[in-house]
Amino acid sequence: MIFSRKKSKKQHKYSQIVYKLSDFDQELLGKFMDSEYSSEGVFGFELLKTPSKVESSVVSPSFIRLDLPPSSLSPYNYSTQSSCYEIELENPSFLPLYSQSPVNLLGELSNVEINNGSMFVQVLFSEHKGKWREKLIDQYEHYLQGNENPSSITGVRSMQTKFLQLIDKVGDFDLAKSHIEEVEEKILQPNYRMEIRFLIESTEEQQIIHSVREIFAKMNFFNEIVLYKVKDSQKFEEDMYNRQFAPFSKQIFYSESEIYSLLLSKVEQKASASSVIAESSTPEPTKTVSNDNLTYLLPEIKSAPREIDTSISKSLEKTLQGLGITKSKLKIESFEQGATLQKITMVIPKDTNYMKVEKQLKNIQANLGNEAISMEIGDKPSTINFYVPCDNREVIYLRSLLESEQYQEFMNEAVLPFIIGQDTVGNPLFADLQKLVHILVAGTTGSGKSVFINNIITSLILAKSPQEMIMYLIDPKQVELQVYEGIPHVKDVITDMDKAAITLNSLVKEMERRYSKFADVGVRDIAGYNKKSNNPLPYIITIIDEFADIMCTHPQVESVIQRLGQKARASGIHLIIATQRPSVDVITGVVKSNLPSTFCLRLKTSTDYRTVFGKGIPYNLLGNGDGVAAIEGHHKEFERFQAPVISLIDDEVTAMLDSLKEQLGSSDVEGMEICEPESNLDRLKRIIANTNENRVTHLQKEMKIRSEDVQGLMVELAEEGWVEKKGRSYVITATEDELNKWKD
């Protein structure tokens, strides 16, 4: 095959950079694997082996920069007539490879004996995104039912199952299989799309292939890697040259542990993840919590057990038959009950389908006299989940979740843990703010938004000492967050919007100051810095209770949110922004894109939900803490939850906080330096330096002030020599050194 330099018809979303590779280890691999953007770009490694040399490189997407020299290694540089090989899995990819013993693929390939010719190897991988886990679970369920080789295509898989059911019925075979722990571990891990390609040009081709297959055989377990010769060499050439995936690999899954075991010579054990919405991936320094085990200060009220009312199934069956949706008798898979909802899992009757039922949802609600009934695709194949509000809702108390064994385990792993509540069937839900980065909380009056914010604040205060975490609370309404004044973690409760804008700008300055400290020590983030420093930095949490107020008075804070959203995570600065008015002028596209995770309580209209999520939600929220979460990277698009309360009695909450202040005492940890507000002239200089923009109309949009004011500022810049007016426009005349002073 002759390699050409033709361009791919399909362009990458992100460009790639190729670096020389001298030392390959877990830290280098982890820079991509642990990145929050590991599903966006393509990462990989390339190796050239000849009788006289071994040369290797690492391929990285442009948004992950490595401190390595550039490499010119490329497929077409040396190969003219080569045999093409690629890998795939022998069995369905939910079945795992052996990942307990590192293989060190690149090292092993470097040692393959080649006396003439050459071997070029390309390894590419990227984290799967979307609803891939549901697909693997569905395949696994069919496997457990007796389908030895369940297809990745839903329709084919259904036909296979029907055929097996027929065989089982005729021959009375026992086809069911036992659960396999290793399969379930693989499905629960992050999974990756991976391709490994070989170009071999040698008279010893068969011996080389035999050696490569022996390397892959070390991974044989429930599955095995198969090396096969490629027939479509033209498409292979294009994909390899452009370092892009072939379509077939979209349906193949490799777990995180399989990737690490295949590529590394030594794998350090990673912390195990809890079964919660978000897992922490950043190591935390040894805790110095001085407020340990203070949950006893919270009110404790135990709820009486409730019986599950199964009579709704008869009403549901009668309704579906009366509406002509089905003539069959309903098969109810399960009844489960949470604090707010009863979950009824129904097998889809053979004479209907999900879409037909979904289209009739309004009629179902009308027939049952409850517009809050909702439905979604079931957790098991061919099922529907119906959610019916409980007649008597159970109150969940924060203390019970804080003292739960699951949360205690989660606290040991998470950096900034907080309580979300319970899911629809009563399972506890927790999250790590360090992992979620920044969050948006939306909810109208009476939805439980303020209670949810109080849960987050209380959870964090009880989990971390003032030496580890400090807070700035912005409270435009002057009634919600004032109760936390006096708690040593809380450095300020801000009610004036001018001061709030100054505080947000000071966060940006603090972020830049911290990055300078990291550079001096030679670390990338706050966790690394705190491990090396004798004066560890506290995490900074800033909570804005009503974002609409500050956006109305200081619309320029949108750009501050953008800067913090893009860069603040590694510096240990996190934002929690709440609003009861999620209109497009408040939750703008810029704001929403920098708040990757959302917790939404009840809103007034469907338009509000679309503003928050970009689409409607499949639920009718009931208020009083009934909410839905959309977590970036979570396997479910929406996770419905019921938030807990500290107490239903305000005086008990006040008494708890007073006791907490007394127990915690005072703290000598200093807050960040509050900077003087940035002048409009300085803001304009910064915008010009970062964007190279000189058009007044565009600068006015960035500044969010009147055009006349921008014109006046441009005159001042002209007097300073920053710009020069030519005709009706301006030309930037500031020196490069002057511009660099103002760049972020």
Side-chain angles (χ1 to χ4, degrees), residues 138-378:
D138 195 20
Q139 278 186 278
Y140 180 44
E141 288 285 348
H142 281 75
Y143 177 81
L144 293 175
Q145 293 168 14
N147 187 348
E148 289 280 356
N149 192 19
S151 171
S152 60
I153 302 171
T154 305
V156 175
R157 194 161 59 244
S158 297
M159 292 175 62
Q160 290 175 326
T161 300
K162 288 179 181 178
F163 180 71
L164 287 171
Q165 289 172 345
L166 179 62
I167 293 176
D168 189 28
K169 189 174 182 180
V170 173
D172 195 22
F173 299 108
D174 185 10
L175 299 175
K177 298 179 180 293
S178 300
H179 284 260
I180 303 172
E181 183 179 349
E182 291 84 357
V183 172
E184 293 164 8
E185 287 178 358
K186 175 172 182 174
I187 293 173
L188 288 173
Q189 291 182 41
N191 269 247
Y192 291 78
R193 181 179 184 181
M194 180 174 70
E195 293 187 36
I196 304 179
R197 300 161 176 155
F198 293 82
L199 294 175
I200 300 174
E201 183 183 0
S202 172
T203 58
E204 303 169 332
E205 179 180 330
Q206 293 307 312
Q207 294 95 308
I208 295 171
I209 291 300
H210 177 73
S211 298
V212 172
R213 284 177 172 149
E214 284 189 332
I215 296 171
F216 286 138
K218 297 176 182 179
M219 300 284 290
N220 289 355
F221 196 38
F222 289 95
N223 218 326
E224 58 185 89
I225 296 174
V226 179
L227 188 68
Y228 69 96
K229 198 164 188 176
V230 175
K231 295 180 180 179
D232 187 356
S233 59
Q234 183 176 357
K235 183 65 171 65
F236 182 91
E237 167 197 343
E238 182 180 332
D239 290 340
M240 196 166 196
Y241 167 63
N242 289 288
R243 299 184 174 100
Q244 68 184 20
F245 289 118
F248 79 90
S249 65
K250 190 175 183 180
Q251 302 298 329
I252 299 179
F253 298 82
Y254 298 87
S255 70
E256 183 178 69
S257 61
E258 288 172 342
I259 298 283
Y260 272 103
S261 295
L262 179 63
L263 297 180
L264 296 174
S265 59
K266 180 181 179 182
V267 182
E268 296 179 8
Q269 186 66 33
K270 300 185 75 177
S272 60
S274 297
S275 57
V276 293
I277 281 186
E279 301 89 5
S280 168
S281 62
T282 302
E284 170 70 353
T286 303
K287 293 186 177 182
T288 58
V289 180
S290 60
N291 54 333
D292 191 26
N293 197 26
L294 292 177
T295 55
Y296 71 88
L297 296 174
L298 277 68
E300 180 182 26
I301 303 174
K302 294 184 178 179
S303 302
R306 298 177 301 159
E307 292 185 1
I308 298 178
D309 180 14
T310 60
S311 63
I312 184 66
S313 64
K314 294 294 182 183
S315 302
L316 185 60
E317 180 177 46
K318 185 177 179 180
T319 295
L320 295 183
Q321 291 174 347
L323 292 172
I325 298 173
T326 182
K327 296 179 181 179
S328 304
K329 181 178 176 63
L330 291 189
K331 180 182 178 182
I332 303 300
E333 187 79 15
S334 64
F335 284 92
E336 296 175 278
Q337 185 167 269
T340 306
L341 301 166
Q342 187 175 356
K343 177 182 174 183
I344 304 163
T345 301
M346 177 192 86
V347 177
I348 300 174
K350 294 180 179 180
D351 60 348
T352 189
N353 56 51
Y354 180 84
M355 292 296 294
K356 187 176 179 181
V357 182
E358 185 182 43
K359 288 177 182 178
Q360 294 276 10
L361 179 59
K362 284 293 181 184
N363 291 327
I364 294 171
Q365 292 170 343
N367 275 30
L368 293 174
N370 193 334
E371 66 176 357
I373 292 173
S374 57
M375 60 175 286
E376 66 179 4
I377 295 172

Side-chain angles (χ1 to χ4, degrees), residues 290-291 294 296-297 461-462 466 483-489 653-667:
S290 60
N291 54 333
L294 292 177
Y296 71 88
L297 296 174
I461 288 172
L462 291 173
V483 292
Y484 294 99
E485 202 159 20
I487 288 181
H489 302 72
V653 177
T654 303
M656 181 274 294
L657 290 171
D658 289 340
S659 299
L660 194 58
K661 294 171 190 177
E662 184 179 343
Q663 290 289 332
L664 292 174
S666 59
S667 169

Side-chain angles (χ1 to χ4, degrees), residues 1 48-52 78-85 112-120 198-212 229:
M1 177 176 60
L48 169 62
K49 167 79 173 176
T50 69
S52 60
Y78 52 85
S79 182
T80 55
Q81 298 290 331
S82 303
S83 296
C84 309
Y85 289 86
V112 171
E113 185 175 350
I114 298 180
N115 297 312
N116 64 76
S118 64
M119 174 180 69
F120 178 82
F198 293 82
L199 294 175
I200 300 174
E201 183 183 0
S202 172
T203 58
E204 303 169 332
E205 179 180 330
Q206 293 307 312
Q207 294 95 308
I208 295 171
I209 291 300
H210 177 73
S211 298
V212 172
K229 198 164 188 176

Side-chain angles (χ1 to χ4, degrees), residues 422-440:
Q422 290 183 357
D423 67 10
T424 52
V425 294
N427 298 315
L429 294 174
F430 324 121
D432 184 353
L433 184 59
Q434 190 275 337
K435 182 69 174 178
L436 302 192
V437 191
H438 312 292
I439 64 176
L440 171 66

